[in-house]
Amino acid sequence: MSITANDEFRMPPEILFQILVLLFAGLVAGFLAGLFGVGGGIVIVPALYALFRWMEVSANSAISIAVGTSLVTLLPTACSSLRAHYKLGNVNKSILLWIAPSILIGAIIASSLVVAQFGRLLLFVFSGVLLLVACITIVRTYRITPVVERYTKTAEPTLNGVLNKVMASIAGFLIGLSSSLAGVGGGATGVPVLLGLGLRTHAAIGTASSFGVLVALPSIIALLLFSYSPADAPWGCWKQVYIPGLVVLSFCTVLVAPYGARLGKKISEKRLKVLFASLLFVVGARLLVSSFMFPV
């Protein structure tokens, strides 16, 4: 049987499918990172988890590698999104400088759990965080704004008083902890917190885009130093990072994140909140079901 030139260069269907999934996930994740200030993990983690399960990787290994790859991809994505929002004047520097250390501490503690590959815990935390934030966002969108928020919701609010600073630090710690466990950039939980601190929606999204950098750095260091590749890891996996996915996802997310940020600037605050909550609810509900079906 003769082999033609076309046969030699024909891409296997399964490889083509993987590339298409990664391209689609990267473009959507990058756009949403710019639009909502999230790190893209709310798209990347479910997409990679589904792809690895299709490749017959065990559920525990699939979610561990998905979260690990998402955390590494998070750094260039967050940097691109933060740069775009900073140019648009959406970043509140005073609040960011105060809350950043507690986010770092939470991310460092959570990194040890990611490295330990607690698959069911990672999936449950990820879905639970998304659903909680979706509910909080919807409630905040349609209820009457309290008096304290009427006077504090300005373009550049600052943290005044010891209690406010302590609460902001605790919130920052929880943001870093949950975001690192879930493999997301901190925008999912950070945006509602910043809204509660008095920022307008666009400023909250822009400031939360920086949280991805704070979450990614300690997580990446922990993954590179202490993680290991699961026995059934797919080809191209180094430790808990899927290298082909990292390359494609990073390129796509960095490319389109600025476009999402520009579009978000044109959308009304209420509509932006509803779109944000709807996205979180759909993804969170889907993964919550998966966490209960997770094999023991």
Side-chain angles (χ1 to χ4, degrees):
M1 181 176 178
S2 61
I3 300 177
T4 65
N6 289 335
D7 292 329
E8 292 179 0
F9 295 101
R10 185 177 297 165
M11 183 177 294
E14 59 272 17
I15 300 297
L16 178 60
F17 176 74
Q18 292 178 39
I19 293 175
L20 291 176
V21 169
L22 293 173
L23 284 172
F24 178 77
L27 292 173
V28 174
F31 185 78
L32 295 178
L35 183 62
F36 296 124
V38 296
I42 58 175
V43 174
I44 292 174
V45 172
L48 287 179
Y49 178 73
L51 178 62
F52 295 148
R53 293 295 286 151
W54 176 78
M55 296 167 67
E56 298 183 350
V57 177
S58 67
N60 188 74
S61 298
I63 189 61
S64 297
I65 299 171
V67 170
T69 305
S70 176
L71 286 170
V72 180
T73 307
L74 184 58
L75 187 58
T77 306
C79 288
S80 177
S81 178
L82 174 60
R83 181 171 177 268
H85 280 289
Y86 188 83
K87 286 184 176 181
L88 294 170
N90 289 344
V91 179
N92 185 300
K93 294 181 284 296
S94 61
I95 289 182
L96 174 59
L97 290 174
W98 180 265
I99 203 172
S102 58
I103 294 177
L104 276 172
I105 294 172
I108 290 171
I109 294 175
S111 298
S112 61
L113 296 176
V114 175
V115 169
Q117 299 185 11
F118 292 122
R120 184 194 289 268
L121 173 63
L122 295 178
L123 197 60
F124 185 78
V125 169
F126 181 77
S127 58
V129 166
L130 296 189
L131 289 174
L132 176 63
V133 173
C135 294
I136 292 174
T137 304
I138 289 294
V139 170
R140 290 186 58 86
T141 301
Y142 289 102
R143 69 177 174 81
I144 299 174
T145 306
V147 174
V148 65
E149 292 184 10
R150 292 176 188 166
Y151 288 101
T152 59
K153 193 169 284 297
T154 60
E156 284 288 327
T158 56
L159 292 174
N160 296 318
V162 176
L163 181 59
N164 286 340
K165 291 180 178 180
V166 170
M167 294 299 292
S169 297
I170 294 174
F173 173 78
L174 295 176
I175 289 171
L177 187 73
S178 61
S179 299
S180 184
L181 281 175
V184 297
T189 49
V191 171
V193 169
L194 293 173
L195 289 173
L197 293 175
L199 274 71
R200 297 187 184 277
T201 304
H202 295 91
I205 289 175
T207 306
S209 66
S210 65
F211 294 174
V213 180
L214 300 171
V215 170
L217 285 175
S219 302
I220 290 173
I221 293 172
L223 286 170
L224 296 182
L225 292 179
F226 305 115
S227 71
Y228 58 92
S229 294
D232 59 344
W235 177 89
C237 199
W238 182 67
K239 297 198 172 183
Q240 283 177 234
V241 181
Y242 183 51
I243 302 300
L246 172 63
V247 173
V248 175
L249 291 168
S250 297
F251 174 77
C252 293
T253 53
V254 170
L255 182 67
V256 300
Y259 296 99
R262 291 171 197 162
L263 177 62
K265 192 74 173 179
K266 301 176 183 178
I267 300 177
S268 67
E269 290 197 19
K270 185 173 182 178
R271 181 170 297 180
L272 203 55
K273 288 180 182 178
V274 172
L275 290 173
F276 179 66
S278 301
L279 171 69
L280 297 182
F281 185 80
V282 170
V283 177
R286 172 66 182 84
L287 290 182
L288 184 62
V289 173
S290 297
S291 71
F292 285 110
M293 298 173 64
F294 200 94
V296 180

